[in-house]
Amino acid sequence: MFSDFHTHTDFSGDSDTPVSKQLDQAIKLGMKEICITDHHDHDVVVPGLGPIFELDIDSYLPFMNRIREEYAGRIRVNIGIELGLQLHIKEYLEDFVKNHTFDFIIGSSHFIDRKDPYYPEFFQGRTEKEAYSRYFEITLKRVKELDCFDVFGHLDYVVRYGPNKNEFYSLEEYRDLIDPILKTLIEKGKGLECNTGGYKYKLGHPNPSEEILSRYRELGGEILTIGSDAHTPEHLAYDFQRLKPVLQNCGFRYYTVYHERKPEFIPI
């Protein structure tokens, strides 16, 4: 069983799952380790809900350290975070990472122009191609300018929520933006995530798609973490059983876990 390195609990504004429930499910599935990566999107407001993705870090880290000790011997609990990347808070993000200790940091593009593609408003006034292109344009700027993360999460997250999802989406259609993103990650020693949330959202593919995973490997990318993006126990390790042949066909022989922000490569 692959170790799930993208999971959420009730410390995230969009989950009601206690940490213990995720850990118990991981043990039941036979995982040797797991990483909890709760959301921290600083300086964003969801209309009608407020700053729900602002992580209470002063509660989160002490709690996670306690529960790591509680579960010692049953499963290795890694303490992570999913940081929402935004250029206007670059200094904040750098200071945040410098002043807090994590095993693993996912960097993600959630909010573009102050709007999350999860909400239909992101697509209003744009064609689908314009919306996807805008997402990748901003993501490219962020990976070039920010260094506060280890691995970039769900690279084509926007496609989950598009009007036609991935019906007209391909690497070739957006290669002029996606190739530079992948090359930048590789040059900076950052990894890429294979996120099985794409299966949950009925795309028939992980995020990013197999052709992007293959392209990353073709360009020399080696650091690949695996995550389900689970917000509930039933989605933990979602469709992980499909991944071994997928990743091998993409050219990967190892996947990656992180301890104290250092990658460790595990045979697939």
Side-chain angles (χ1 to χ4, degrees):
M1 169 60 69
F2 293 114
S3 297
D4 198 332
F5 264 60
H6 190 151
T7 67
H8 296 284
T9 75
D10 53 10
F11 280 100
S12 287
D14 55 357
S15 174
D16 296 319
T17 301
V19 176
S20 60
K21 295 293 185 183
Q22 295 288 44
L23 302 184
D24 291 343
Q25 178 69 0
I27 292 168
K28 181 179 178 181
L29 292 171
M31 281 185 210
K32 294 181 179 179
E33 61 180 303
I34 187 174
C35 191
I36 304 298
T37 54
D38 278 311
H39 284 296
H40 185 47
D41 282 76
H42 180 65
D43 194 32
V44 297
V45 173
V46 177
L49 298 175
I52 64 168
F53 294 115
E54 193 88 24
L55 181 64
D56 181 359
I57 193 69
D58 292 333
S59 297
Y60 179 67
L61 288 179
F63 181 89
M64 288 303 303
N65 277 293
R66 288 195 302 272
I67 207 163
R68 168 152 58 187
E69 292 298 320
E70 180 184 335
Y71 277 78
R74 288 183 280 169
I75 189 170
R76 180 170 187 162
V77 179
N78 298 288
I79 303 172
I81 193 167
E82 183 179 11
L83 284 183
L85 304 181
Q86 297 187 89
L87 292 182
H88 75 278
I89 57 169
K90 178 179 180 179
E91 185 175 343
Y92 168 85
L93 291 171
E94 290 172 348
D95 289 343
F96 181 87
V97 169
K98 186 189 305 179
N99 293 321
H100 299 94
T101 300
F102 299 99
D103 286 299
F104 178 55
I105 300 176
I106 301 172
S108 295
S109 280
H110 291 130
F111 286 79
I112 307 291
D113 303 319
R114 297 283 185 169
K115 295 179 180 178
D116 187 336
Y118 178 84
Y119 299 98
E121 289 77 13
F122 176 79
F123 295 93
Q124 290 177 358
R126 294 172 167 145
T127 66
E128 185 175 78
K129 183 169 184 180
E130 288 171 341
Y132 288 4
S133 294
R134 180 63 175 165
Y135 181 88
F136 291 127
E137 286 168 4
I138 296 299
T139 292
L140 177 57
K141 291 178 181 179
R142 289 172 177 174
V143 299
K144 282 185 172 180
E145 295 192 33
L146 298 174
D147 291 301
C148 55
F149 64 98
D150 302 312
V151 166
F152 194 82
H154 45 50
L155 175 60
D156 50 11
Y157 165 83
V158 65
V159 177
R160 293 180 180 177
Y161 311 110
N164 299 290
K165 299 202 173 194
N166 58 347
E167 184 177 356
F168 306 111
Y169 165 72
S170 68
L171 168 62
E172 198 57 43
E173 189 73 16
Y174 300 91
R175 183 181 292 273
D176 60 328
L177 294 168
I178 293 175
D179 261 12
I181 292 171
L182 298 177
K183 290 175 182 178
T184 300
L185 292 173
I186 293 166
E187 289 166 4
K188 297 176 76 171
K190 308 295 185 185
L192 186 68
E193 176 190 58
C194 175
N195 187 303
T196 60
Y199 294 129
K200 185 181 72 174
Y201 282 92
K202 310 304 181 186
L203 301 180
H205 305 276
N207 295 118
S209 62
E210 294 90 338
E211 58 182 348
I212 294 175
L213 293 171
S214 295
R215 180 59 174 157
Y216 171 70
R217 184 69 195 95
E218 179 184 323
L219 291 169
E222 296 182 315
I223 300 173
L224 186 80
T225 57
I226 295 173
S228 64
D229 214 344
H231 291 66
T232 59
E234 59 266 30
H235 291 141
L236 197 73
Y238 191 87
D239 267 2
F240 274 20
Q241 74 278 2
R242 299 173 65 165
L243 286 183
K244 184 173 181 177
V246 168
L247 296 180
Q248 289 177 333
N249 288 337
C250 291
F252 293 95
R253 296 295 173 263
Y254 300 88
Y255 79 103
T256 313
V257 297
Y258 275 79
H259 305 133
E260 297 179 347
R261 305 209 42 210
K262 295 176 182 175
E264 178 181 327
F265 295 90
I266 299 175
I268 292 174

